[in-house]
Amino acid sequence: MMTKRGGDRGKKSEETMKKLREAAAAGDAQAQYRLGFCLLYCVGCGRNLREALKWLREAARRGQPNARFELGCCLTNGIGCRPNREKAAKLFEKAAAGLRRGAERGSAEAQNDWGYALLYGLGCEPNPKEAVTWFRKAARGGHLSGRCNWGYCLLHGIGCRSNRYEAVKLFREAAEQGDLCGQNNLGYCLEYGLGCIKNPLEAVRWYRRAARRGMAEAQYNLGNCLFKGIGHPSAYQKAVELFRKAARQGHAPARFKLGYCLEHGIGCDKNLEEAVLCYRRAAEQGDPEAQNHLGYCLYHGIGCEPNRQEAVIWYRRAAEQGDAAAQNNLGYCLDHGTGCEPNPQEAVLWYRRAAVQGVAQAQLRYGDCARHLIGHAEAVKWYRASARQGHMEAQYRLGFCLQLGIGCDKNPEEAVKWYRASARQGYGKAQFSLGRCLENGDGCAKNPEEAAQWYGRAARQGNECAEEALRRLKPSLWTVFHSAFQ
């Protein structure tokens, strides 16, 4: 889902493109901007990022405000170039006054771009309410980008009251006139049932229209649908092709998804080195999932040399953007002093943030911290949350607390339930505890035969208490087990 800047992306004839090129070559700044825009967004021609940036730079040097603004957006998002936010900020500042003047004079294109600048605070103070006013003016002037941006604000309630049905109407109007952003946004609404009846198959059709014309966001969204089996039964190879196309255009989420497929060999041959490169490029663009995955690869030396200090840097960047997995990973590094100085107090804060977002491992770790800092009742609360998600260690700890009444009322029957859930996943301590409950009839009927089986499984994992219990309960089984491990 995205907003859009710049001119309309309607079709242009070959003759129109030829004239545009001639005017641009003659030094016409407006023609240079429009040619750069067409090459950037596949309007009347194929996409050519290098040539697009060349013409946008030429127009920007001549003071064309829309070109300065568009070039700033490319530098911000790393489209066709390396991200350079400092240079982008200077371009936005230079463009702002010109865009405002153009908007006030009634240029629909300037009204749309000025609204975009106000929405995101690019070269000016953010003002979503005023941004909506300019988007509305641009839309009423027939500007398709203005319609899409007005629809985006209506969909999310940005600067105005939310109205999803009106947003979908605006997206559909733009989509049916061939607008790429309208097609992509309409597809998104149809995929998730926002302001309309959910229709993933129709969503795929709209994504495909925009993707065929080279729109990176649509290629990414279509790839995700194919990856999930929408419109085609799990077409992983085709999904990877689309992710790669979007990634080449600098689309950060597509770079991350391509890296994920390369790391795990989904729809392509496994290539850990290339996966790390994709993660790094997306991470440098600010994608939090990519930052976390890059941190993980650096921490464990997957596809690169291990570098835990750098891993912590990327974990922190992703964690500060709210990525729950990164918050858990950063908490672990701070807790154990791996890649950074130990800081248990800060570790607890990150564990809690990740736990609140539902990360099972973080819920277990925060439960351990809470046991010492707050009390056993708080620990049991988080063990239970983690156990319900299937975390075997949390299931064991919850069972232990329930069996002994630590931080909760005693409940041996429920304790056995959680021990069994953990034991079935292969957790040795739970296997031993379940065996002891079955041997003694604690929370369940006595069953020495089954108890011996669980003792045996725990003993195979090196649990000495389980080995001793097995020798006591079933000497014949212990003899077999002991001889097997000599």
Side-chain angles (χ1 to χ4, degrees):
M1 192 68 199
M2 63 186 294
T3 48
K4 172 179 134 179
R5 56 200 178 273
D8 286 336
R9 300 178 193 178
K11 295 180 180 178
K12 293 189 185 295
S13 67
E14 288 183 17
E15 184 63 28
T16 302
M17 290 299 298
K18 182 181 177 182
K19 289 179 179 177
L20 202 57
R21 283 188 180 277
E22 288 173 355
D28 185 322
Q30 185 67 16
Q32 290 170 340
Y33 159 64
R34 291 198 176 279
L35 179 56
F37 185 89
C38 290
L39 290 161
L40 188 61
Y41 294 112
C42 314
V43 181
C45 58
R47 194 172 208 204
N48 188 327
L49 293 176
R50 182 176 293 180
E51 192 180 355
L53 290 176
K54 167 194 161 184
W55 289 115
L56 289 174
R57 286 192 182 101
E58 285 294 324
R61 286 191 192 106
R62 287 173 165 79
Q64 213 286 339
N66 300 86
R68 284 174 170 172
F69 191 75
E70 194 68 48
L71 185 57
C73 291
C74 290
L75 287 166
T76 299
N77 298 307
I79 298 172
C81 56
R82 283 197 169 275
N84 188 331
R85 293 178 184 270
E86 187 178 340
K87 192 172 181 180
K90 290 178 182 176
L91 284 165
F92 290 140
E93 286 175 15
K94 289 178 181 178
L99 291 176
R100 178 184 275 280
R101 282 196 300 271
E104 289 170 348
R105 288 172 185 163
S107 165
E109 190 168 350
Q111 288 168 345
N112 177 66
D113 279 0
W114 179 235
Y116 192 92
L118 287 164
L119 184 64
Y120 295 105
L122 305 175
C124 59
E125 287 298 314
N127 190 332
K129 192 172 180 179
E130 189 182 348
V132 171
T133 301
W134 289 111
F135 289 149
R136 191 183 290 120
K137 286 181 180 181
R140 286 173 178 166
H143 199 273
L144 297 182
S145 297
R147 283 185 188 177
C148 286
N149 290 337
W150 184 17
Y152 181 89
C153 293
L154 285 167
L155 186 70
H156 298 283
I158 300 170
C160 59
R161 185 172 292 179
S162 177
N163 187 334
R164 291 181 171 180
Y165 299 101
E166 184 65 21
V168 171
K169 180 182 172 184
L170 288 165
F171 293 150
R172 191 175 287 277
E173 287 173 359
E176 287 172 351
Q177 291 184 61
D179 183 79
L180 300 182
C181 194
Q183 291 170 347
N184 176 70
N185 287 0
L186 177 59
Y188 187 89
C189 291
L190 288 162
E191 184 182 355
Y192 295 100
L194 304 174
C196 56
I197 296 170
K198 193 173 184 178
N199 190 335
L201 292 179
E202 189 184 354
V204 166
R205 287 197 290 273
W206 285 111
Y207 286 150
R208 187 170 276 121
R209 286 191 191 185
R212 281 173 179 163
R213 289 171 61 195
M215 187 185 190
E217 179 78 9
Q219 290 168 342
Y220 169 71
N221 286 334
L222 178 59
N224 266 335
C225 287
L226 295 175
F227 195 84
K228 293 183 283 189
I230 300 171
H232 198 289
S234 300
Y236 293 127
Q237 286 184 325
K238 182 62 179 174
V240 170
E241 286 176 23
L242 287 160
F243 293 147
R244 197 178 287 281
K245 285 180 181 179
R248 286 187 188 125
Q249 297 185 57
H251 192 275
R255 282 174 167 169
F256 161 69
K257 206 63 180 278
L258 176 60
Y260 183 86
C261 292
L262 287 162
E263 182 184 356
H264 299 282
I266 301 172
C268 57
D269 293 333
K270 187 181 281 192
N271 188 328
L272 297 178
E273 291 77 15
E274 190 181 352
V276 170
L277 181 61
C278 289
Y279 289 152
R280 187 175 290 281
R281 286 175 175 170
E284 288 170 351
Q285 289 177 254
D287 186 275
E289 283 188 285
Q291 290 170 341
N292 178 58
H293 277 71
L294 176 59
Y296 187 87
C297 290
L298 287 162
Y299 188 95
H300 296 282
I302 298 171
C304 58
E305 289 296 316
N307 187 334
R308 293 188 170 181
Q309 288 77 18
E310 189 183 354
V312 170
I313 291 169
W314 289 111
Y315 283 153
R316 188 177 290 281
R317 289 185 187 178
E320 287 171 351
Q321 291 192 68
D323 187 274
Q327 290 169 345
N328 177 59
N329 291 338
L330 177 59
Y332 181 86
C333 292
L334 291 162
D335 197 7
H336 295 84
T338 53
C340 59
E341 290 295 317
N343 191 333
Q345 291 79 16
E346 189 184 354
V348 172
L349 297 176
W350 289 113
Y351 282 152
R352 179 170 176 77
R353 288 183 187 181
V356 168
Q357 291 197 68
V359 177
Q361 183 68 42
Q363 290 169 339
L364 170 68
R365 289 171 178 168
Y366 181 68
D368 288 342
C369 296
R371 189 176 65 203
H372 301 293
L373 298 172
I374 302 172
H376 287 100
E378 182 72 6
V380 169
K381 168 188 164 184
W382 290 105
Y383 290 155
R384 188 178 292 279
S386 182
R388 283 174 176 162
Q389 293 194 67
H391 195 286
M392 62 182 183
E393 191 174 347
Q395 290 170 339
Y396 163 71
R397 302 223 183 150
L398 178 59
F400 185 84
C401 292
L402 287 162
Q403 185 181 16
L404 301 179
I406 300 172
C408 57
D409 294 333
K410 266 190 176 186
N411 191 332
E413 290 77 15
E414 190 182 355
V416 169
K417 166 193 157 184
W418 289 112
Y419 282 150
R420 191 178 292 279
S422 180
R424 283 173 175 164
Q425 293 190 69
Y427 194 63
K429 290 181 180 179
Q431 291 170 340
F432 169 70
S433 296
L434 178 59
R436 192 169 54 185
C437 290
L438 288 162
E439 181 185 359
N440 299 322
D442 187 4
C444 57
K446 282 189 175 183
N447 190 333
E449 293 295 328
E450 188 181 356
Q453 290 174 18
W454 287 112
Y455 283 149
R457 292 183 187 182
R460 289 189 194 100
Q461 296 191 56
N463 190 306
E464 294 180 1
C465 295
E467 187 178 344
E468 183 61 33
L470 183 62
R471 179 164 54 184
R472 182 191 68 249
L473 188 64
K474 287 284 183 179
S476 58
L477 281 178
W478 178 84
T479 302
V480 172
F481 164 80
H482 189 68
S483 60
F485 283 84
Q486 291 300 308

